[in-house]
Amino acid sequence: MGFPHRYPDRRDAEAAAFIAASFAFGGVLQIRNFLERLLAALPPSPHAALTAAGPFPPPAVAGLAHRFISPEGVRRFLCCLRAVYLRHGSLERFFLAGRGADRPELRRDLARFLGGFREHWGSALPRQRDFLFPRPERGSACKRHNMFLRWVVRGPDGVDLGLWTAVTPRDLVVPLDTHMVRLGGWLGLTRRKTPGWSMAEEITAALRRECPDDPVKFDYPLTRLGILRVCTRRRRGACRECPVAPLCSRREGRGAGK
């Protein structure tokens, strides 16, 4: 998602990254169309709109929905984000406030971070609330929020933004999408069959053995193989185009699946 890169101000980039990651579910075109409309409804910039005085959200937000997140769910999401910004100034400070004096531990810290948003949301629309702010402490892989953390912690390198210091790259966990689940099994990075936080940690641990200080740097190139269908084309010779074919249990001539 290129939306956060549109904003030179770090505060806007952080806000746009959280919004884009939170709604990164569904078809790519559907996601992009929704985010274009939502971010256009937050002028002059996401952070300025979220922290502006006066009634909130802007009228242009009314009626915006994304898949099963209703207009009321979108409104509540933005109000939660606004409440955090008004109280803490940045999402990084909110993340650190949840950690308190404890030693960094990503699963616990992310659980507290997302739990704080659920508290601001309240009890209405619980399914939408719990989808937008899931629970890693209950085993959710939290793919979208691990992707957000990757964006704001790693880099800047043209892909990730490098905005935060609250988390180090070595402590990140891979965003577990369908491509990473598939490739993680085929490349022997996990023995687990059920996607969840434990699988994400196992894949990350395997990648950490190759790069202890930045294991999640492999996330973007690996998932691009799936997104671009390099490793899922069902035609002869496709494996020769894949740079990780020598490591893959499903490569042509080695096993079933091609």
Side-chain angles (χ1 to χ4, degrees), residues 18 20 32 56 67 88 91 109 132 135-136 152 162 174 201 248:
F18 190 73
R32 288 188 179 277
F56 185 85
R67 296 195 68 196
H88 296 275
L91 297 182
D109 294 347
L132 289 171
R135 299 174 184 265
V152 296
V174 293
E201 283 191 321
C248 183

Side-chain angles (χ1 to χ4, degrees), residues 1-250:
M1 289 293 174
F3 291 97
H5 290 278
R6 296 179 179 182
Y7 302 99
D9 189 299
R10 295 169 65 89
R11 297 170 299 176
D12 291 327
E14 182 196 63
F18 190 73
I19 292 169
S22 296
F23 290 98
F25 56 94
V28 173
L29 290 178
Q30 185 181 33
I31 295 169
R32 288 188 179 277
N33 289 338
F34 171 75
L35 290 175
E36 288 284 4
R37 295 172 64 199
L38 180 55
L39 290 171
L42 299 175
S45 70
H47 184 269
L50 288 162
T51 57
F56 185 85
V61 171
L64 287 182
H66 179 54
R67 296 195 68 196
F68 47 82
I69 304 300
S70 65
E72 174 62 14
V74 173
R75 187 192 72 81
R76 283 181 174 271
F77 169 87
L78 292 175
C79 288
C80 290
L81 190 52
R82 172 180 169 82
V84 167
Y85 271 121
L86 290 177
R87 181 171 181 180
H88 296 275
S90 76
L91 297 182
E92 183 176 22
R93 292 195 194 106
F94 181 49
F95 191 92
L96 286 170
R99 178 189 296 165
D102 293 330
R103 293 174 60 86
E105 199 281 300
L106 189 71
R107 186 177 188 175
R108 181 206 64 216
D109 294 347
L110 182 58
R112 292 176 180 176
F113 179 72
L114 295 173
F117 281 106
R118 288 195 302 275
E119 289 177 9
H120 284 296
W121 180 293
S123 60
L125 303 177
R127 291 185 179 180
Q128 296 184 45
R129 176 199 63 202
D130 291 348
F131 182 84
L132 289 171
F133 305 116
R135 299 174 184 265
E137 71 274 23
R138 295 186 180 179
S140 171
C142 293
K143 183 264 291 187
R144 290 167 291 123
H145 297 91
N146 277 320
M147 182 170 65
F148 165 72
L149 290 176
R150 197 203 83 196
W151 287 349
V152 296
V153 171
R154 292 196 69 256
D157 59 7
V159 176
D160 297 319
L161 301 162
L163 302 175
W164 284 19
T165 59
V167 180
T168 65
R170 69 177 297 119
D171 294 324
L172 292 172
V173 171
V174 293
L176 193 67
D177 65 3
T178 57
H179 306 294
M180 185 59 78
V181 170
R182 183 186 305 113
L183 287 166
W186 290 1
L187 297 176
L189 303 177
T190 180
R191 294 178 179 273
R192 296 180 181 273
K193 303 301 182 184
T194 303
W197 187 272
S198 295
M199 177 185 281
E201 283 191 321
E202 189 170 73
I203 291 174
T204 304
L207 297 175
R208 190 174 286 117
R209 288 193 288 271
E210 300 301 320
C211 186
D213 292 330
D214 192 9
V216 177
K217 76 175 184 179
F218 299 107
D219 173 60
Y220 182 80
L222 284 176
T223 55
R224 293 297 289 178
L225 296 177
I227 292 169
L228 299 176
R229 300 185 179 181
V230 172
C231 76
T232 57
R233 295 176 186 161
R234 296 189 176 276
R235 63 178 179 82
R236 295 178 64 84
C239 283
R240 290 197 297 270
E241 302 175 16
C242 180
V244 298
L247 305 174
C248 183
S249 64
R250 296 296 187 95

